[in-house]
Amino acid sequence: MASVTSLTAHVHQRLADALTAALPETAPADPLLRRSDRADFQANGILALAKKAKANPRDLATQVVDRIAKGDVIKDIEVSGPGFLNITITDRAITETLAARATDPADRLGVPFLENPGTTVIDYAQPNVAKEMHVGHLRSAVIGDAVVQILEFVGETVVRRHHIGDWGTQFGMLIQYLDEHPHELDHEAAEDGAVTGEEAMSNLNRLYKAARTHFDSDAEFKTRARRRVVDLQAGDPHTLATWQRFVDESKIYFFSVFEKLDMEIQDADIVGESGYNDMLDETCRLLEEAGVAVWSEGALCVFFEDVKGPDGNPVPLIVKKSDGGYGYAATDLSAIRDRVFNLKADNLIYVVDARQSLHFKMVFETARRAGWLNGDAKAEQLAFGTVLGKDGKPFKTREGETIRLVDLLDEAIDRATAVVREKAVKVGLTEDEIVENGRYVGIGAVKYADLSTSAVRDYKFDLDQMVSLNGDTSVYLQYAYARIQSILRKAGDARPLAHPELELAPAERALGLHLDQFGELLLDVASGYEPHKLASYLYQLASHLTTFYDQCQVLSDANPKEVVENRLFLVDLTARTLHQGMALLGIRTPDRL
């Protein structure tokens, strides 16, 4: 598939060539091209280039204009102010470029692939075994999934990794208790023999509370539980089998939550803390032999000049504890070794809460000192902020407890279903369609609210706003898409067809020029791991569409056939772009709402 050269890229190249011809010593020249309210594009780069060459900027701008051919793509180019260039594109070029996108045989809308794709491991959606997922797990899952979809779409090889918490001292307590109360995880047999995620987690929660109570009140049980931790770490078959049961029960629950989030999680992608156990000793040995880690007060530590505690003393990264146990750092460093040397990753992306930034800063620096991260492989944390309530405080229940993720998602679906039901009679939706669309709108609302905010920023979780038909919401975008599908259904025999010979109205031009930016926008989003830029683009696209509706009637007997076909072509391409863009954010676009 040959990607479609955007109008931006085409004009940029013509300007750069003309600048180089006028001022050869400035090559390669960047005209600093951008969209403008004064024309279709404005180039501001001449001022800086003229200053560097000690030339008159307006004279240089005039020389550039004289060297640019007009008529095919560029309709007009004029010098403005001290040396700005205002560029207007021909209507024909806009329509022909969009037609090339629409007829892309690979159905990629002309979006280019990365020039040098590599392999990226994305660590995201990291729940803990035997614990319910809460609102704090939402952002890692949603942001990580969107980045995965976007990178894969532009040609990167992506390896998903769900680094679940499946190891540690609490499992000694749980395993010992289950060993002594073997029927605690028994399920009531459903008609089809299946176990729901809620049933699995309900049993785990009950067992955890009972085990904790026993652990805190019975000294002898506490001793037995601690011995069981040793058995687990030593690989005792019976203990491992019981531990595996906890993991399997938890996965039933995890998969049910991810299914509700409309996310695909494969079992092979789940490689938790336990997956790196066999590497921990070697990781510590390699760090010690390289002089990266040193022993301090019985623990194997890595020190940093710029990381100090309140007392002014260095705060180390503890790789191996003084009691012989391993910290999170040992597991994270072993995971880096595995991902770089076994999975051959070029990039490691960690979608993790911003509050863990110091930990990952020290882990990455340790890996760099050890030579595991170098020019061929790099790692970075895609840090995200906190989900806040309407009051601007961390989102919790009235009792101060962390909100369960499934409760939050269910409420979003219920609210969205009510919104869909209000419109159902007019659209003619069946009850099954109302329920299905309510789920798509509700989950889409939650995801979009997260993804339309820069990841590092906190955001307020306001369901009233999220399911609103007005403003920057997924519902607004979903209704824009459904509205186009309604128009296409009503078009009868008329079909979307580009007519480059037609003049375009201002609203048609604005919509067309925005559609043309889709490919370049996706490459920019992929390079910076910034899905909020895609969300912003799609909202602007829907806004351009609204203006287009208001100013350009699509289906009208008063319009010539060619105008009807061309406008159908514009809205059809808009719908396809909305559909693809929303899909990359993990959001569905129902045909009828």
Side-chain angles (χ1 to χ4, degrees):
M1 190 277 299
S3 62
V4 177
T5 301
S6 70
L7 291 169
T8 306
H10 191 99
V11 174
H12 184 281
Q13 188 60 54
R14 286 201 182 185
L15 289 175
D17 291 345
L19 270 168
T20 300
L23 209 62
E25 62 270 28
T26 64
D30 186 353
L32 297 180
L33 187 71
R34 61 178 180 82
R35 288 298 311 280
S36 172
D37 294 332
R38 297 176 180 273
D40 294 332
F41 295 98
Q42 186 175 83
N44 301 332
I46 288 178
L47 276 72
L49 292 171
K51 182 178 180 180
K52 183 178 179 181
K54 297 181 179 179
N56 182 295
R58 192 171 178 88
D59 289 344
L60 177 58
T62 302
Q63 293 178 49
V64 169
V65 170
D66 291 341
R67 284 176 165 82
I68 292 179
K70 303 179 203 49
D72 55 346
V73 173
I74 297 176
K75 178 180 181 180
D76 188 32
I77 179 168
E78 62 176 16
V79 180
S80 174
F84 301 122
L85 296 180
N86 290 329
I87 302 111
T88 302
I89 306 299
T90 65
D91 291 346
R92 175 176 288 277
I94 293 174
T95 304
E96 287 181 342
T97 302
L98 296 182
R101 292 193 180 281
T103 55
D104 177 358
D107 201 28
R108 291 179 51 83
L109 304 179
V111 175
F113 286 103
L114 295 170
E115 289 185 8
N116 298 298
T119 297
T120 296
V121 175
I122 299 187
D123 190 324
Y124 69 108
Q126 309 105 344
N128 295 306
V129 166
K131 292 184 180 179
E132 286 188 294
M133 294 177 68
H134 53 76
V135 67
H137 291 109
L138 176 65
R139 301 207 72 186
S140 178
V142 171
I143 295 169
D145 185 60
V147 174
V148 166
Q149 303 301 329
I150 292 165
L151 286 181
E152 287 186 333
F153 190 72
V154 296
E156 184 80 353
T157 297
V158 178
V159 180
R160 299 162 171 84
R161 278 294 175 265
H162 307 296
H163 192 86
I164 64 172
D166 64 352
W167 206 250
T169 55
Q170 68 167 327
F171 289 100
M173 176 187 78
L174 290 168
I175 292 168
Q176 186 62 35
Y177 187 83
L178 185 60
D179 218 31
E180 297 176 10
H181 303 80
H183 300 296
E184 281 290 323
L185 283 185
D186 289 348
H187 299 283
E188 294 183 10
E191 291 185 6
D192 59 358
V195 177
T196 68
E198 286 294 305
E199 289 171 338
M201 186 46 65
S202 175
N203 283 341
L204 285 171
N205 270 342
R206 185 177 66 249
L207 183 140
Y208 183 87
K209 291 177 180 178
R212 170 55 68 181
T213 299
H214 209 38
F215 186 86
D216 292 339
S217 62
D218 187 331
E220 292 184 359
F221 174 75
K222 182 180 291 187
T223 300
R224 295 195 299 274
R226 286 174 172 166
R227 282 200 211 103
R228 185 67 68 164
V229 176
V230 177
D231 294 339
L232 178 62
Q233 293 174 340
D236 173 66
H238 172 71
T239 302
L240 281 176
T242 308
W243 166 81
Q244 187 63 54
R245 187 176 180 190
F246 282 119
V247 174
D248 293 342
E249 291 280 330
S250 297
K251 283 183 178 179
I252 294 172
Y253 166 72
F254 296 157
F255 287 135
S256 72
V257 177
F258 289 130
E259 182 180 10
K260 184 164 290 189
L261 266 171
D262 203 13
M263 285 174 50
E264 183 179 350
I265 302 292
Q266 300 293 335
D267 191 63
D269 302 331
I270 299 176
V271 183
E273 296 166 351
S274 63
Y276 305 100
N277 283 339
D278 293 342
M279 300 178 67
L280 301 181
D281 278 337
E282 185 179 24
T283 294
C284 291
R285 178 180 60 79
L286 291 172
L287 290 173
E288 186 178 1
E289 289 178 353
V292 175
V294 297
W295 291 97
S296 176
E297 298 182 18
L300 187 62
C301 306
V302 181
F303 290 91
F304 309 86
E305 291 183 2
D306 58 341
V307 181
K308 297 180 180 179
D311 57 2
N313 293 322
V315 176
L317 180 71
I318 299 175
V319 184
K320 191 170 186 178
K321 303 174 185 178
S322 57
D323 63 2
Y326 297 98
Y328 290 120
T331 302
D332 288 333
L333 288 164
S334 297
I336 287 176
R337 289 177 54 219
D338 176 64
R339 294 167 183 182
V340 171
F341 299 113
N342 294 332
L343 299 179
K344 309 298 183 185
D346 305 294
N347 303 295
L348 308 180
I349 306 299
Y350 292 76
V351 189
V352 184
D353 192 316
R355 288 170 292 189
Q356 297 187 46
S357 293
L358 178 59
H359 169 77
F360 280 100
K361 175 184 176 182
M362 293 193 291
V363 166
F364 296 159
E365 176 58 26
T366 298
R368 277 190 284 269
R369 292 180 186 179
W372 305 334
L373 293 175
N374 47 45
D376 297 324
K378 64 181 187 295
E380 66 179 280
Q381 179 191 3
L382 180 48
F384 56 81
T386 304
V387 180
L388 306 175
K390 290 183 181 180
D391 58 2
K393 298 178 181 179
F395 203 20
K396 294 183 181 295
T397 65
R398 291 181 179 178
E399 295 75 26
E401 297 178 358
T402 302
I403 292 178
R404 298 194 321 158
L405 182 53
V406 289
D407 291 342
L408 182 149
L409 297 178
D410 285 341
E411 184 178 359
I413 292 171
D414 289 344
R415 294 277 195 96
T417 302
V419 172
V420 173
R421 194 177 296 280
E422 289 179 8
K423 304 280 186 178
V425 175
K426 182 178 179 181
V427 181
L429 298 179
T430 66
E431 181 60 27
D432 286 345
E433 288 174 322
I434 292 172
V435 171
E436 182 180 70
N437 287 355
R439 179 186 172 216
Y440 293 156
V441 172
I443 297 302
V446 171
K447 288 184 175 182
Y448 187 84
D450 191 320
L451 295 170
S452 59
T453 302
S454 175
V456 75
R457 293 177 56 192
D458 300 340
Y459 81 96
K460 292 183 180 180
F461 195 94
D462 184 347
L463 276 176
D464 292 331
Q465 174 59 31
M466 288 180 185
V467 299
S468 172
L469 296 176
N470 302 309
D472 189 4
T473 67
S474 69
V475 192
Y476 175 64
L477 301 182
Q478 288 168 321
Y479 267 94
Y481 176 82
R483 188 176 185 182
I484 293 174
Q485 297 308 312
S486 175
I487 290 174
L488 294 174
R489 287 192 295 270
K490 293 176 182 176
D493 294 333
R495 290 291 178 265
L497 184 64
H499 285 275
E501 73 278 7
L502 294 178
E503 291 187 7
L504 299 176
E508 292 175 304
R509 290 177 56 83
L511 179 60
L513 287 167
H514 193 72
L515 284 167
D516 182 56
Q517 296 176 3
F518 186 54
E520 290 179 334
L521 179 279
L522 279 182
L523 290 182
D524 182 50
V525 169
S527 66
Y529 315 118
E530 297 174 303
H532 71 278
K533 290 184 176 180
L534 174 56
S536 176
Y537 170 87
L538 295 173
Y539 173 63
Q540 292 169 22
L541 178 60
S543 298
H544 281 300
L545 182 69
T546 299
T547 303
F548 170 83
Y549 281 141
D550 292 341
Q551 299 181 9
C552 305
Q553 191 169 3
V554 179
L555 300 177
S556 172
D557 294 337
N559 288 335
K561 176 185 176 184
E562 293 79 8
V563 171
V564 172
E565 291 177 338
N566 200 60
R567 289 180 176 175
L568 284 173
F569 160 72
L570 283 172
V571 296
D572 180 59
L573 183 57
T574 300
R576 292 169 62 189
T577 305
L578 280 170
H579 175 78
Q580 182 61 73
M582 293 286 270
L584 293 175
L585 296 178
I587 300 173
R588 306 264 187 161
T589 45
D591 285 350
R592 300 198 303 162
L593 275 178

